[in-house]
Amino acid sequence: MKTLRTQVKIQFVIILLLVFYLGWREFVEENHPSGVKEASMDMESVEREGLEKVGTTKLPNYQAFIVPTPDEALFAGEKIRLLEPDLRERFDREIHVNANWHSNTILMIKRSHRWMSRISEVLKENNIPDDFKYIVAIESNFEESAMSHKNAVGFWQLLEGTAEQYGLEVNDEVDERRDPIKSTVAACKYLQDAYDKFGSWTSVAASYNVGMRGLERRLDEQKVDSYFDVLLNDETARYMFRVLAAKAILEDPGLYGFNIAESERYSQPAFDTVKVEKTISDLVDFAHEHGITYKTLKRYNPWLRSDELTVKKNTYEILISKDPVEQYVVQKLD
């Protein structure tokens, strides 16, 4: 009985509050007919202005970079005519991908500054055209430890068998595919062999993707003698044009909107070179003895795969950074 009376009282209070609210609303609308509507309109106006501000700050700042397609390109002294629709579209695709793939291309430009001049020197020493340095850009984006799903490794993405064929050491402790200079020397040997076979530097570059035998077989099957006349799988068909796009952007980054100051590009420190003729049982201790951390040691010597280095018949050269910021004093614990 008491519960029923309590519920009735609560319902009565709710009804009184509702009547009071409706009476207040009617009073406001009679005396200030535009008050509620104006408040509502003000809120809509604020929301609309906010949306407009978002729109005007975001949309005009995004502009896709449109690149005119030239009538011809040049690679290793060989002129490539881009008048055929297929060739124009293939170049057009790669230059636009790289010009608008900002994060990847910015890093490519920054990293290239660290190694391009040294790679050029090695190519020149081995009589290979300088334009082949752009293969490193598309193979590994100048990452020494890059690895593909096929286990190709390093700047030049060499498979283990190919690396050993051209004089590199690959084992549990050492992988010279990760050495930018030694791997470049090995790549030069391959490129010269390919040129001896094809007599065309553009065909040499294409064979770097599909292999000498692979390119030769496809040329023979289709009875043509040029990479630009043969039907290939998508990856190889894109390959030469990816090289040309990387060359165009790295030769003149500002032309494609990449205005990266010299100070913002990556650089190498000065090094001391330690010649290693005896086994090092602990590379951590070796690093500390030379005033750097193990991390810094591996950073500039990525070809070292283990924490020890066994010397049998080969000798090695280890780079020790002289950058004061990377010097390390070992704290000895009592």
Side-chain angles (χ1 to χ4, degrees):
M1 195 69 178
K2 288 182 179 180
T3 302
L4 180 60
R5 288 176 181 173
T6 301
Q7 290 178 351
V8 170
K9 288 179 180 179
I10 291 172
Q11 291 176 359
F12 179 73
V13 171
I14 292 173
I15 291 170
L16 282 177
L17 290 173
L18 181 59
V19 170
F20 175 78
Y21 172 75
L22 292 173
W24 173 82
R25 182 66 181 262
E26 185 177 350
F27 172 80
V28 171
E29 291 182 351
E30 287 178 356
N31 293 277
H32 304 282
S34 61
V36 176
K37 291 182 179 178
E38 287 178 354
S40 177
M41 290 175 66
D42 287 343
M43 288 300 295
E44 290 178 2
S45 176
V46 168
E47 291 177 0
R48 183 169 58 252
E49 288 180 7
L51 290 172
E52 288 175 355
K53 286 179 179 178
V54 169
T56 56
T57 55
K58 286 188 177 179
L59 294 180
N61 286 337
Y62 177 78
Q63 293 184 2
F65 204 89
I66 307 301
V67 184
T69 303
D71 291 336
E72 62 183 32
L74 197 67
F75 180 80
E78 296 178 13
K79 188 178 294 185
I80 302 162
R81 302 286 289 174
L82 298 173
L83 300 178
E84 183 184 328
D86 171 57
L87 302 186
R88 289 185 70 83
E89 287 187 26
R90 282 155 70 183
F91 179 85
D92 195 47
R93 173 184 183 177
E94 304 308 328
I95 195 68
H96 280 97
V97 165
N98 286 277
N100 289 286
W101 190 6
H102 298 144
S103 58
N104 186 76
T105 302
I106 287 169
L107 290 174
M108 178 179 73
I109 295 166
K110 286 188 171 190
R111 290 175 182 146
S112 69
H113 186 252
R114 182 185 288 151
W115 284 109
M116 285 257 279
S117 60
R118 186 70 184 95
I119 290 173
S120 289
E121 291 174 5
V122 176
L123 292 173
K124 185 176 181 179
E125 290 166 2
N126 288 273
N127 300 312
I128 301 297
D130 189 59
D131 281 352
F132 277 89
K133 64 190 176 189
Y134 301 114
I135 282 183
V136 179
I138 65 166
E139 286 286 348
S140 62
N141 208 8
F142 295 97
E143 289 189 77
E144 297 95 322
S145 298
M147 178 181 291
S148 76
H149 66 282
K150 295 181 180 179
N151 292 322
V153 171
F155 265 15
W156 294 87
Q157 291 291 277
L158 296 168
L159 293 170
E160 184 172 343
T162 305
E164 292 174 340
Q165 177 185 347
Y166 288 104
L168 297 182
E169 183 179 353
V170 181
N171 55 48
D172 291 339
E173 292 184 358
V174 171
D175 188 345
E176 292 184 330
R177 293 177 294 176
R178 299 173 190 265
D179 184 311
I181 304 307
K182 287 186 177 181
S183 65
T184 300
V185 173
C188 286
K189 294 176 182 178
Y190 170 92
L191 297 172
Q192 186 59 60
D193 284 351
Y195 185 75
D196 291 343
K197 176 180 287 291
F198 296 111
S200 161
W201 289 117
T202 52
S203 292
V204 169
S207 78
Y208 200 82
N209 176 257
V210 72
M212 281 186 262
R213 282 180 294 180
L215 181 61
E216 185 177 39
R217 183 168 61 251
R218 286 161 179 77
L219 292 172
D220 289 344
E221 289 171 351
Q222 297 176 39
K223 300 179 181 179
V224 293
D225 58 8
S226 169
Y227 163 81
F228 300 104
D229 292 325
V230 68
L231 180 65
L232 297 159
N233 66 72
D234 185 61
E235 180 183 336
T236 308
R238 294 180 62 182
Y239 193 80
M240 193 64 233
F241 295 92
R242 290 177 62 204
V243 175
L244 293 174
K247 176 186 176 182
I249 291 172
L250 286 170
E251 282 186 338
D252 191 354
L255 183 64
Y256 300 92
F258 296 98
N259 299 302
I260 303 173
E262 185 87 4
S263 61
E264 295 176 331
R265 303 186 185 197
Y266 303 147
S267 59
Q268 292 282 62
F271 293 109
D272 282 328
T273 302
V274 178
K275 190 172 184 178
V276 179
E277 298 177 321
K278 295 181 179 180
T279 294
I280 301 173
S281 60
D282 191 332
L283 285 169
V284 174
D285 288 343
F286 175 86
H288 289 172
E289 289 167 5
H290 289 84
I292 59 175
T293 63
Y294 180 62
K295 180 188 77 170
T296 301
L297 176 74
K298 295 297 283 287
R299 171 176 169 79
Y300 296 115
N301 301 276
W303 52 273
L304 292 168
R305 301 183 67 184
S306 174
D307 59 3
E308 60 183 344
L309 178 60
T310 303
V311 178
K312 295 180 179 178
K313 57 181 180 180
N314 294 339
T315 59
Y316 305 94
E317 291 185 349
I318 293 180
L319 301 179
I320 305 296
S321 171
K322 295 172 67 175
D323 187 338
V325 176
E326 293 180 310
Q327 301 307 300
Y328 179 75
V329 178
V330 180
Q331 301 296 323
K332 295 183 179 180
L333 300 178
D334 294 331

